[in-house]
Structures are given as structure tokens and as C-alpha cells.
């Protein structure tokens, strides 16, 4: 059986992410379709890669303060070799402008499910990093009919007071109002239709994390889809929290990667690719 963990914000390690080229460059010009869809009052951005492949599409859900390229630039060209991939950018992130609405994992899950319905996707696999993993988890709970398999990394399932390590909790609560590391802010200014909304997005992400009450045991036990939790052993989410969560999943897998932190999809993308593709092909079988 596989074994892995979860965490939260990119903001705790502001120097670790490299802004990248366009996704067309990253994926070798493999974007078959991209654009916006009107979803619950939001113009939601999406890209479809590797559409020539048959089979269940994989939905990529980025981390907080990030976009498709900064989250999955290393993984995307490898993933599209074998399967169709749909990359979605959430409210106030990447090319999707912020709107006058709070951020919540539940709302973003509803937005994601509605977008997939508009695209004619009946069922998909999901891979989410950090915030994206929390969104994928909520899709599995709120819209199980669209979910085939779910994999997450750097995500959490309870209140941050108990789900994070002490250091991770302090880092999250210390996010300042003027938080704007260039490695994140420069990409936001380049991609966002409303770059002036950055301070509002920072505030909303912080409020969302602090307000999150987590999932009940019944909700976790109700997730019937195969579900893999990944994490680095130095992530900011408490490993005991992840192990206890894994035990409650009916079809769970847990993968802890040694000598790795929250930026596993970037710095340890080879390990993530191996684990993710094995899971998508074989579920939680060894």
C-alpha cells in the first residue's frame, strides 16, 4: 500500500517556486483547448491538454497564490503523455479574476464540478496540491458522482490548529497583510485580469484557512473513491494528523516522501509522478 502526507501554504517558503513559461511551452504545445467558462458568477479559466488520449481525464488543482504553471510546470508535460489533463484555475488565482465573494474550499469544489459539467466531463481523476487538495477532497464529498480517484499533497483535513505542526501553524497565522513575495506576486501580476485584487486574495486565503473546521469522521468514511494522501516528511502538516486521516478512508493510500517538504510537486516531481501514475493505474494496490 502507498504512503504519503499533506500541508498548506506556499507562503511559508516564499523562495522555493520558480515562475515559468506558458503552459503551451511547458507541455510542448499540447493545449487542445483553453478558455473561460461562466461558473456561479465567476469567469473560470481552464486548459485541456493531451486531448488525443482516451480514458479518464486528470483534473489538476493548483495551490494557494499559485496557478497551473507554477504548481504543475514540471509534472504537466509528463502527465499528458498518457492521459487527457484538465488544468483549472480558481477564483482570484492565475487567469481567473477575484470577485466579490469569500473563498472557501466548498465553493471552489462546487465551481470545479460545475465547470466539468459544462465541459461534458462525466467522471474524472483529481490531483490537488495544498489548497487544490482541499478542493479535490470537497469535490469527493460534495460531488462524488464526478470522482473516479483523488490524490492530494500538502493538504489538510482538520482545523489548522490541530492539523499543522506548531511551526506550520505559526507560519500560517503570521501571513502579513502586505504579503507579496516576488516569486508569487510577479506571476499574479502577469496572469491575473485584476492584479490589483492581490491584497484581497491574500486576506481571503488567510481567512479561509483560519475558518476551516475540517471534516468529520463520517465525511471521511463516506469517501468511497480511491484516495491517496501524499506529503514530504518535512511538510507543515502534522504527520500524525495525516496518518489518522488515512485510517478513516475506506479506500485510502498514504505516501510519505523522505527529505521532502511542501514543495514536493516542484522539487520532488519525479517521485510525485511515479506515485501518482501508479495510483491512477492501479489504485491503492502495491
Amino acid at each position: 500500500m502507498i504512503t504519503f502526507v499533506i500541508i498548506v501554504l506556499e507562503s511559508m517558503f516564499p523562495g522555493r517556486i520558480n515562475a515559468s513559461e506558458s503552459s503551451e511551452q511547458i507541455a510542448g504545445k499540447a493545449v487542445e483547448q483553453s478558455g473561460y467558462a461562466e461558473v456561479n458568477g465567476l469567469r473560470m479559466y481552464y486548459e485541456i491538454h493531451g486531448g488525443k488520449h482516451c480514458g479518464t481525464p486528470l483534473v489538476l488543482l493548483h495551490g494557494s497564490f499559485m496557478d497551473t504553471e507554477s504548481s504543475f510546470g514540471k509534472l504537466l508535460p509528463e502527465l499528458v503523455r498518457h492521459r487527457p489533463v484538465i488544468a483549472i484555475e480558481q477564483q482570484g488565482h492565475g487567469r481567473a479574476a477575484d470577485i466579490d465573494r469569500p473563498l472557501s474550499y466548498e465553493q471552489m469544489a462546487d465551481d470545479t464540478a460545475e465547470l466539468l459539467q459544462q465541459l461534458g466531463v462525466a467522471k474524472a481523476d483529481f490531483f490537488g496540491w495544498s489548497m487544490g487538495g482541499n478542493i479535490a477532497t470537497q469535490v469527493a464529498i460534495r460531488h462524488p458522482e464526478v470522482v473516479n480517484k483523488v490524490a492530494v499533497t500538502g493538504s489538510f483535513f482538520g482545523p489548522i490548529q490541530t492539523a499543522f505542526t506548531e511551526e506550520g501553524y505559526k507560519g500560517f497565522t503570521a501571513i502579513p497583510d502586505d504579503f507579496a513575495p516576488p516569486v508569487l506576486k510577479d506571476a499574479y501580476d502577469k496572469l491575473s485580469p485584476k492584479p490589483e485584487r492581490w491584497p484581497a486574495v491574500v486576506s481571503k486565503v488567510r481567512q479561509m484557512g483560519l475558518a476551516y473546521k475540517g471534516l468529520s469522521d463520517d465525511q471521511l468514511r463516506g469517501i468511497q473513491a480511491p484516495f491517496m494522501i501524499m506529503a514530504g516528511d518535512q511538510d507543515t502538516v502534522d504527520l500524525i494528523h495525516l496518518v489518522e486521516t488515512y485510517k478513516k478512508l475506506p479506500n485510502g493510500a498514504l505516501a510519505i516522501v523522505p527529505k521532502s517538504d511542501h514543495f514536493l510537486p516542484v522539487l520532488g516531481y519525479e517521485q510525485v509522478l511515479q506515485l501518482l501514475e501508479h495510483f491512477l493505474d492501479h489504485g491503492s494496490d502495491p
Side-chain angles (χ1 to χ4, degrees):
M1 186 168 284
I2 312 175
T3 318
F4 226 36
V5 208
I6 321 182
I7 227 186
V8 235
L9 288 179
E10 292 65 56
S11 57
M12 298 177 189
F13 306 91
R16 306 298 295 276
I17 304 169
N18 293 319
S20 52
E21 325 101 296
S22 70
S23 49
E24 286 86 351
Q25 292 171 310
I26 290 172
K29 307 293 183 183
V31 180
E32 275 75 28
Q33 181 180 339
S34 66
Y36 289 88
E38 298 294 331
V39 177
N40 300 325
L42 172 70
R43 291 192 75 230
M44 201 169 191
Y45 180 80
Y46 68 93
E47 295 177 350
I48 300 176
H49 300 254
K52 61 183 177 297
H53 298 301
C54 298
T56 304
L58 173 64
V59 175
L60 297 180
L61 301 173
H62 60 76
S64 53
F65 306 126
M66 300 180 75
D67 53 71
T68 297
E69 292 86 53
S70 58
S71 287
F72 304 115
K74 301 279 191 182
L75 286 167
L76 187 54
E78 300 301 322
L79 291 170
V80 300
R81 294 179 189 274
H82 307 294
R83 54 181 49 83
V85 176
I86 303 171
I88 299 174
E89 293 180 348
Q90 304 291 332
Q91 175 187 334
H93 289 75
R95 300 161 187 81
D98 188 35
I99 59 175
D100 187 17
R101 183 182 72 175
L103 288 179
S104 75
Y105 306 119
E106 295 85 353
Q107 179 64 63
M108 289 188 282
D110 292 348
D111 293 343
T112 298
E114 172 62 25
L115 173 61
L116 293 176
Q117 183 177 25
Q118 291 189 29
L119 294 177
V121 176
K123 193 171 284 287
D125 296 322
F126 292 80
F127 177 54
W129 178 11
S130 192
M131 179 185 79
N134 285 37
I135 296 169
T137 303
Q138 288 293 334
V139 173
I141 291 170
R142 299 168 71 87
H143 306 278
E145 70 285 350
V146 79
V147 173
N148 186 48
K149 296 177 182 178
V150 177
V152 305
T153 184
S155 309
F156 60 103
F157 306 91
I160 64 172
Q161 294 90 335
T162 56
F164 284 17
T165 63
E166 182 178 355
E167 181 180 1
Y169 177 71
K170 288 179 179 178
F172 188 95
T173 56
I175 297 172
D177 292 338
D178 61 353
F179 170 77
V183 71
L184 300 176
K185 182 64 162 52
D186 290 352
Y188 188 86
D189 289 344
K190 177 182 176 181
L191 296 177
S192 177
K194 295 182 179 180
E196 70 278 5
R197 295 288 295 174
W198 172 266
V201 172
V202 171
S203 177
K204 289 179 181 183
V205 168
R206 184 175 54 211
Q207 291 172 14
M208 175 174 63
L210 292 173
Y212 189 56
K213 299 185 183 304
L215 305 176
S216 68
D217 290 353
D218 286 344
Q219 285 177 311
L220 289 169
R221 293 183 179 118
I223 298 175
Q224 296 301 312
F227 195 110
M228 180 169 70
I229 299 172
M230 298 186 200
D233 64 347
Q234 299 169 38
D235 210 319
T236 56
V237 174
D238 183 78
L239 297 186
I240 294 176
H241 166 71
L242 296 177
V243 171
E244 291 302 316
T245 299
Y246 153 72
K247 290 178 179 178
K248 296 168 185 174
L249 294 167
N251 296 293
L254 180 65
I256 308 297
V257 178
K259 300 179 181 178
S260 301
D261 60 23
H262 188 56
F263 293 90
L264 192 58
V266 174
L267 302 176
Y269 71 93
E270 298 97 338
Q271 295 98 313
V272 172
L273 181 67
Q274 182 179 11
L275 288 164
L276 182 57
E277 292 203 323
H278 183 280
F279 174 71
L280 294 177
D281 291 341
H282 304 290
S284 58
D285 295 334

